[in-house]
């Protein structure tokens, strides 16, 4: 019975085959190209949920069947899909399978001394010189020359033989590069997997606590996230945006009061673009900003809504967003019929007035006599979003202007209190000073504030990722540029003189080695006292 | 001088450089065809004039904008062209003494500049706050340097493949040459693939002579070595540039990597060129297959550079 009939042996052979296949460079190249192809799919061909969820949603509406099929196969989240993970894992295994034996071999080589060689004539580079020194002396001189040139040298003085090698750094660099690449993969997966990223919107003067509910859905957690938010308390003291004369933004900065969960550690911090702050294990970045209208809506004396309305923008392509009004909504779902108030806020009435006069849109960067253009809709609220108002099941009942400090009657769209003179002449509003009373829906606008959007993230592995990235670059340079060279020298007596044989080769960058070798031959023979009758040797060396 | 004047000077110098490169390209191709020494001298001179104009355009642009002149795609393209032509004149012509591939490099330079004028022109202006980071400077500089090196490397790879196939054709033709018919048989002269009438002289290397007259390119081995030299230089620079970009992204957006299209494509390009370097060290992949990988890398490089800004969009679009 031959060994091939034993099931265990067959299994072992298949495992060995799979292992050999995984170890081969060809597999690594193919896996790398597959990784590139998968990234093309994720980077370009299909919209991705983490980056452009609205485009995915549109695709799902336009192509319901294909949308579902592609989603099931993970094509809308390629970088989180099982098959991307599979390619990465295979690459990972292939790398490890290749790196372990290579690392072992490198350690083995590092322990070994250079080995002597015979028949130096057969090496690609070879030269002979007659020198005056005795063979042991000549070999010793050659060894010290090579040592000075940073070769690892093994000297057999009695035998008059030297073995030297250089360029082990190439393999070290290559191994450092590949191990660092592995470390990078592990650190990225660990950091993203156990961390979270979210966006916090905070209005000037108010506070916010790092907890799941407060992200309003603007949160992404890693697959292995343990649910532990930091509980950090953030208060926005002040938000400051600066612009150039041309209206281009120059800087945004949020002045924050920070405190940890139990308030035992506090600090103030300024977060600017490109200047994040690290506190209590989370990183806080300046992400966005905008205006928040402080609005109060009352029915008679009963306050229905009182607080900031976070305003956003919906800028047509090609327009300067700063010249556009800010939009937001107040939703009153408890009223029957339900009421939604759409707000268009103009932070700088003067700039807006100039826009109308000159026909050139003026940026509204300052809080300067702000006013609101509102529309009151009645009917059924169907849009759950914070800023949008779906008016398909609603009808417009009134509209008008609301300046800062005014109160308006929402049923008739007229101004109850407030000096309409504060607005530029082109914008006028109807007044109705006696139209307030019990049961009348009114809205007032005490002030405009700014809000900041901060990105909050926790990623414990960032320093490791950075360290791995540095190692990648550091390893890459010797891996590509150092060449491995071996040189041997043998000295034998020839009458009164000594014949010095030098042979060697380079595994990489062979064109450069020729020059280096000629220099080595000259240095070695110079050190041993050259005898100047080597015309024949010159000829032989060629 | 006022900002407008500097800006105007920059545009004029840009146009001068573009026309000089077009001239250098035509003369270089003429040199390739006719091999007259004078043509080569002229091509190099016109190329250097173009390079100087290109440099003037970049410097005056910096003065007009009051910042380093790599803040948008137009400026990147100008700098990229400058570095490609500089790299070609310095490394390929002056150091490696390869003269016949200039036309291809100038063609790529002309393409880059024409794309810049047609799709990416914007006046000199200050940058948005997210771009105010010294990591951006390092990132952008490395990416442009790497792009120019990888671009030249890929171009040389294309020339290598052309040369290799012509060499193979001529070898095959030599191998196909049967002894001339002595009696009874005849050569079908209507068949264009049949050897010309003087092919009978077996000792004359017909294919090589003819081919040398037709395509006077350096031997394929030289081209391959030169291409490898550029890509080997470009790859670590690209790696470094991507890492600096990640550090900048961490600072600005709070994540070092987010699979944004430009990030994804720079990763794809990196992976492909990593594949190229591995392929060169793999039995059975050396030569044509490795060159094919480099060509895929070239396409990926162009997509990373152009397509993301022109069609795909997202975070990096502010750079346009």
């Amino acid at each position: 019975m031959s060994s091939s009939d034993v099931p265990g042996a067959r299994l072992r052979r298949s495992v060995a085959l799979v292992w050999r296949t995984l170890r081969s460079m060809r597999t690594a190249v193919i896996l790398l190209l597959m990784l590139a192809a998968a990234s093309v799919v994720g980077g370009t061909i299909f919209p991705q949920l983490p980056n452009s969820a609205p485009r995915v949603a549109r695709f799902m509406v336009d192509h319901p069947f294909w949308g579902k099929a592609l989603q099931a196969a993970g094509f809308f989240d390629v970088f989180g899909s099982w098959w991307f993970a599979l390619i990465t894992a295979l690459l990972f295994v292939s790398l490890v399978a290749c790196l372990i034996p290579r690392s072992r071999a490198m350690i083995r080589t590092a322990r070994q001394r250079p080995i002597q060689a015979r028949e130096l004539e057969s090496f690609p580079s070879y030269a002979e010189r007659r020198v005056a020194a005795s063979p042991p002396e000549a070999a010793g001189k050659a060894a010290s020359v090579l040592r000075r040139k940073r070769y690892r040298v093994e000297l057999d003085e009695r035998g008059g033989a030297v073995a030297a090698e250089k360029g082990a750094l190439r393999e070290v660099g290559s191994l450092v590069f590949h191990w660092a690449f592995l470390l990078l993969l592990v650190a990225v997966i660990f950091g993203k997997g156990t961390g979270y990223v979210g966006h916090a919107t905070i209005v000037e003067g108010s506070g916010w606590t790092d907890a799941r509910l407060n992200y309003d859905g603007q949160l992404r957690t890693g697959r292995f996230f343990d649910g532990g938010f930091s509980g950090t308390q953030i208060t926005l003291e002040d938000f400051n945006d600066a612009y150039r004369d041309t209206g281009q933004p120059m800087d945004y900065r949020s002045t924050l009061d920070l405190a940890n969960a139990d308030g035992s550690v506090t600090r103030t911090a300024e977060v600017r673009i490109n200047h994040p702050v690290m506190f209590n294990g989370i990183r806080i970045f300046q992400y966005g900003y905008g205006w928040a209208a402080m609005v109060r809506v009352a029915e008679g004396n009963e306050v229905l809504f009182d607080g900031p309305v976070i305003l956003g923008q919906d800028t047509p392509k090609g327009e300067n967003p700063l010249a556009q009004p800010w939009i937001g909504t107040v939703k009153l779902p408890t009223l029957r019929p339900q009421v939604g108030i759409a707000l268009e806020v103009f932070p700088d009435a003067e700039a807006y007035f100039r826009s109308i006069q000159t026909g050139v849109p003026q940026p509204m960067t300052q809080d300067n006599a702000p006013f609101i253009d509102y529309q009151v809709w009645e009917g059924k609220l169907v849009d759950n979003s914070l800023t949008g108002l779906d008016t398909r099941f609603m009808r417009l009942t009134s509209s008008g202007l609301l300046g800062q400090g005014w109160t308006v009657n929402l049923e008739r769209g007229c101004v109850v209190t407030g000096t309409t003179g504060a607005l530029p002449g082109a914008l006028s509003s109807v007044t109705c000073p006696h139209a307030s009373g019990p049961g009348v829906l009114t809205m007032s606008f005490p002030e405009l504030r700014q809000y900041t959007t901060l990105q909050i993230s926790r990623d414990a592995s960032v320093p490791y990722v950075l360290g791995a990235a540095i190692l990648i670059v550091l390893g890459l340079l010797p891996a590509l540029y150092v060449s491995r060279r071996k040189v041997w020298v043998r000295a034998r007596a020839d009458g009164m003189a000594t014949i010095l044989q030098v042979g060697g080769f380079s595994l990489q960058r062979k064109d450069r080695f020729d020059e280096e070798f000629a220099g080595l031959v000259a240095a070695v023979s110079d050190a041993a006292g050259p005898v100047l009758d080597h015309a024949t040797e010159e000829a032989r060396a060629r | 001088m006022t900002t407008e004047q500097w800006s105007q000077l920059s545009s004029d110098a840009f146009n001068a450089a573009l026309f000089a490169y077009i001239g250098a390209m035509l003369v270089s191709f003429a040199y390739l065809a006719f091999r007259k020494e004078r043509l080569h001298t002229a091509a190099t001179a016109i190329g250097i004039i173009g390079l100087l104009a290109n440099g003037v355009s970049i410097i005056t642009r910096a003065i007009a904008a009051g910042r380093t002149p790599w803040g948008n795609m137009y400026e990147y393209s100008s700098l990229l062209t400058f570095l490609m032509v500089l790299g070609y004149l310095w490394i390929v012509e002056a150091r490696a003494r390869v003269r016949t591939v200039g036309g291809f490099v100038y063609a790529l330079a002309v393409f880059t500049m024409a794309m810049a004028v047609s799709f990416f022109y914007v006046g000199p202006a200050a940058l948005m706050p997210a771009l105010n980071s010294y990591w951006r400077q390092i990132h952008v500089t490395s990416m442009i340097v790497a792009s120019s090196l990888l671009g030249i490397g890929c171009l040389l790879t294309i020339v290598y493949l052309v040369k290799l196939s012509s060499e193979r054709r001529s070898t095959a033709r030599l191998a196909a040459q049967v002894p001339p018919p002595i009696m009874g048989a005849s050569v079908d002269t209507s068949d264009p693939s049949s050897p010309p009438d003087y092919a009978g002289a077996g000792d004359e290397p017909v294919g090589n002579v003819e081919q040398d007259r037709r395509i006077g390119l350096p031997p394929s081995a030289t081209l391959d070595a030169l291409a490898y030299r550029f890509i080997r230089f470009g790859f670590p620079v690209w790696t470094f540039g991507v890492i600096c970009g990640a550090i900048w992204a961490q600072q600005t957006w709070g994540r070092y990597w987010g699979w944004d299209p430009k990030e994804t494509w720079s990763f794809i390009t990196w992976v492909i060129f990593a594949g190229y370097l591995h392929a060169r060290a793999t039995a059975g992949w050396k030569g044509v297959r490795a060159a094919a990988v480099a060509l895929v890398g070239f396409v990926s490089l162009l997509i990373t550079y152009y397509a993301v800004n022109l069609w795909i969009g997202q975070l990096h679009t502010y750079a346009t």
Side-chain angles (χ1 to χ4, degrees):
Chain A
M1 193 172 161
S2 72
S3 66
S4 64
D5 297 322
V6 181
R10 198 179 300 163
L11 182 69
R12 219 174 306 136
R13 264 208 315 282
S14 338
V15 170
L17 180 70
V18 169
W19 186 245
R20 261 207 313 281
T21 313
L22 273 171
R23 266 177 63 174
S24 82
M25 186 79 108
R26 182 162 315 175
T27 312
V29 173
I30 290 169
L31 283 172
L32 273 175
L33 296 180
M34 278 170 72
L35 192 67
S39 307
V40 172
V41 174
T44 313
I45 298 180
F46 299 111
Q48 297 292 295
L49 277 170
N51 286 333
S52 43
R55 280 173 61 205
V56 175
R58 210 175 313 140
F59 190 96
M60 299 290 276
V61 172
D62 293 347
H63 315 273
F65 172 75
W66 285 111
K68 267 197 199 114
L70 289 167
Q71 186 162 40
F75 279 93
F76 293 131
D77 186 8
V78 167
F79 303 111
S81 70
W82 63 269
W83 44 273
F84 194 81
L86 181 70
I87 299 174
T88 318
L90 281 173
L91 193 64
F92 202 92
V93 175
S94 158
L95 254 173
V96 171
C98 181
L99 287 181
I100 288 176
R102 270 179 70 191
S103 303
R104 275 207 200 131
M106 192 199 72
I107 292 166
R108 219 170 27 242
T109 329
R111 287 205 185 124
Q112 274 170 359
R113 303 301 305 166
I115 301 162
Q116 302 292 352
R118 299 182 173 281
E119 291 173 21
L120 305 192
E121 299 90 333
S122 58
F123 287 114
S125 297
Y126 176 73
E128 268 182 39
R129 292 287 183 276
R130 275 170 83 84
V131 291
S134 70
E137 203 186 340
K141 292 259 161 95
S144 60
V145 164
L146 285 163
R147 275 200 201 99
R148 261 204 308 283
K149 306 244 181 212
R150 292 164 173 266
Y151 274 78
R152 281 179 76 211
V153 174
E154 178 72 11
L155 169 66
D156 172 9
E157 200 162 334
R158 195 181 307 162
V162 180
E165 59 191 39
K166 189 174 175 179
L169 197 59
R170 183 185 182 93
E171 183 67 2
V172 174
S174 174
L175 286 171
V176 166
F177 170 82
H178 286 95
W179 281 117
F181 186 66
L182 268 185
L183 173 66
L184 185 88
L185 281 179
V186 173
V188 167
I189 291 167
F190 175 79
K192 299 258 183 205
T194 59
Y196 60 90
V197 188
H199 294 138
T201 298
I202 314 173
V203 178
E204 276 176 317
S206 50
W208 183 91
T209 305
D210 180 22
R212 185 183 290 275
L213 276 177
N214 294 338
Y215 282 100
D216 289 324
Q218 302 281 309
L219 178 71
R220 267 197 286 158
T221 54
R223 200 164 289 181
F224 320 110
F225 177 57
D226 59 4
F229 290 91
S230 71
T232 310
Q233 302 165 53
I234 305 175
T235 309
L236 179 65
E237 287 300 317
D238 185 38
F239 179 80
N240 212 309
D241 46 348
Y243 299 87
R244 292 172 205 283
D245 299 338
T246 53
Q248 278 187 308
M250 199 160 69
D251 198 14
Y252 309 117
R253 60 181 76 200
S254 303
T255 310
L256 307 174
D257 276 342
L258 303 170
N260 65 351
D262 59 9
S264 59
V265 183
T266 59
R267 95 176 239 218
T268 45
E270 199 180 74
V271 175
R272 290 164 58 201
I273 284 194
N274 290 342
H275 296 273
V277 164
M278 177 105 188
F279 180 77
N280 198 19
I282 56 172
R283 283 188 178 76
I284 306 167
F285 300 82
Q286 183 63 49
Y287 183 81
Y289 76 104
W291 294 98
M294 304 301 286
V295 167
R296 176 199 292 243
V297 180
E299 189 175 30
N301 289 326
E302 190 197 347
V303 176
L304 300 174
F305 179 91
D306 186 8
V309 178
I310 303 291
L311 303 169
Q313 287 199 299
D314 187 13
T315 311
K317 218 176 165 179
E319 296 284 336
N320 177 4
L322 291 171
Q324 298 292 315
W326 292 73
I327 53 177
T329 54
V330 176
K331 290 177 186 172
L332 305 168
T334 53
L335 292 179
R336 289 292 172 272
Q338 291 178 319
V339 169
I341 310 166
L343 310 178
E344 260 195 355
V345 180
F346 297 80
D348 184 342
E350 228 172 87
Y352 179 65
F353 187 50
R354 265 206 314 282
S355 311
I356 291 180
Q357 274 187 326
T358 58
V360 182
Q362 304 284 324
M364 295 181 282
T365 57
Q366 288 183 10
D367 174 358
N368 180 14
F371 70 95
I372 299 173
D373 188 347
Y374 63 88
Q375 291 182 334
V376 183
W377 296 79
E378 270 185 15
K380 195 162 175 256
L381 288 166
V382 288
D383 187 348
N384 289 322
S385 72
L386 281 173
T387 49
L389 183 64
D390 186 340
T391 55
R392 276 179 303 167
F393 305 105
M394 308 191 93
R395 66 186 181 87
L396 182 67
T397 55
S398 72
S399 64
L401 298 180
L402 169 58
Q404 185 178 345
W406 303 1
T407 302
V408 291
N409 179 327
L410 288 179
E411 281 151 20
R412 289 169 51 191
C414 56
V415 180
V416 180
T417 58
T419 42
T420 52
L423 285 182
L427 309 164
S428 61
S429 222
V430 185
T431 57
C432 49
H434 307 298
S436 93
V440 174
L441 205 58
T442 59
M443 177 164 69
S444 53
F445 172 38
E447 64 175 317
L448 188 65
R449 290 188 188 173
Q450 284 185 299
Y451 69 84
T452 189
T453 306
L454 302 174
Q455 176 163 301
I456 313 286
S457 69
R458 192 172 75 194
D459 184 342
S461 71
V462 170
Y464 300 98
V465 172
L466 180 64
I470 291 170
L471 286 179
I472 280 179
V473 174
L474 290 184
L476 196 51
L477 293 176
L480 289 174
Y481 282 95
V482 173
S483 54
R484 291 183 61 195
R485 288 149 283 178
K486 292 194 178 194
V487 172
W488 290 269
V489 179
R490 288 186 91 87
R492 65 178 157 79
D494 180 40
M496 292 299 288
T498 297
I499 291 193
L500 207 56
Q501 293 178 298
V502 190
F505 66 88
S506 171
L507 288 169
Q508 293 88 19
R509 316 195 85 185
K510 291 169 180 144
D511 48 333
R512 297 226 169 165
F513 183 67
D514 292 341
E515 212 172 297
E516 187 192 342
F517 185 77
L520 278 178
V521 171
V524 165
S525 66
D526 281 351
V531 176
L532 296 170
D533 63 346
H534 55 247
T536 48
E537 288 85 347
E538 277 295 334
R540 279 195 65 188
R542 293 216 176 98
Chain B
M1 275 168 79
T2 63
T3 303
E4 285 76 32
Q5 282 169 320
W6 283 116
S7 169
Q8 186 58 44
L9 181 58
S10 172
S11 295
D12 291 344
F14 187 94
N15 292 335
L18 177 55
F19 284 111
Y21 290 151
I22 292 174
M25 174 183 79
L26 295 175
V27 179
S28 293
F29 281 133
Y31 171 70
L32 191 56
F34 305 115
R35 312 307 294 276
K36 293 274 191 306
E37 196 57 27
R38 231 180 298 151
L39 287 172
H40 174 253
T41 316
T44 307
I46 301 171
I48 290 173
I49 291 170
L51 190 70
L52 291 177
N54 199 344
V56 168
S57 169
I58 292 168
I59 292 165
T60 48
R61 175 87 183 182
I63 297 169
R67 55 172 169 75
T68 47
W70 39 88
N72 50 52
M73 281 297 286
Y74 173 78
E75 293 167 7
Y76 300 158
S77 302
S78 184
L79 191 61
L80 180 66
T81 319
F82 180 82
L83 290 173
M84 279 195 302
V85 175
L86 179 70
Y88 164 73
L89 286 173
W90 179 26
I91 301 174
V92 180
E93 261 196 24
R95 294 195 47 195
R97 309 222 164 265
V98 170
R99 301 165 143 197
T100 35
V101 297
F104 304 97
V105 176
Y106 290 122
L108 187 59
V110 168
F111 170 76
T112 311
M113 284 193 124
M115 286 290 284
V117 179
S118 334
F119 294 105
F120 300 122
Y121 183 78
V122 283
L127 296 174
M128 59 183 283
L131 299 172
N132 288 330
S133 158
Y134 59 84
W135 285 110
R136 181 189 73 86
Q137 311 271 2
I138 306 173
H139 163 64
V140 171
T141 315
S142 333
M143 292 317 272
I144 295 174
V145 170
S147 304
S148 65
L149 292 165
L150 294 176
I152 297 179
C154 293
L155 212 60
L156 290 168
T157 306
I158 296 174
V159 182
Y160 158 76
L161 285 174
V162 170
K163 175 70 182 185
L164 190 71
S165 78
S166 101
E167 277 175 4
R168 284 196 178 161
R169 261 202 313 277
S170 65
T171 325
R173 206 173 297 153
L174 274 179
Q177 273 167 26
V178 288
I182 303 168
M183 272 176 117
S186 67
V187 173
D188 181 7
T189 47
S190 66
D191 181 5
S193 70
S194 72
D197 47 359
Y198 57 82
D203 54 287
E204 205 186 322
V206 179
N208 281 343
V209 170
E210 185 192 30
Q211 168 249 321
D212 266 350
R213 223 179 288 139
R214 198 156 40 90
I215 315 181
L217 294 170
S220 55
T222 310
L223 287 167
D224 183 49
L226 205 53
Y228 176 54
R229 215 157 120 188
F230 274 97
I231 295 175
R232 184 178 60 181
F233 190 4
F235 183 74
V237 182
W238 184 274
T239 311
F240 179 71
V242 169
I243 289 170
C244 290
I247 294 174
W248 174 34
Q250 172 72 23
Q251 264 191 359
T252 306
W253 301 312
R255 86 289 181 292
Y256 50 83
W257 199 265
W259 298 112
D260 158 82
K262 198 98 171 176
E263 289 170 354
T264 306
W265 274 101
S266 68
F267 172 73
I268 294 167
T269 308
W270 186 84
V271 167
I272 294 173
F273 282 108
Y276 168 81
L277 293 176
H278 284 91
R280 286 192 68 99
T282 307
W285 281 69
K286 269 180 192 162
V288 178
R289 274 205 215 179
V293 175
L295 288 198
V296 175
F298 190 43
V299 173
S300 173
L301 184 69
L302 289 176
I303 294 174
T304 312
Y305 192 72
Y306 287 117
V308 175
N309 290 73
L310 287 175
W311 298 295
I312 302 172
Q314 295 201 15
L315 283 176
H316 276 80
T317 35
Y318 55 55
T320 52

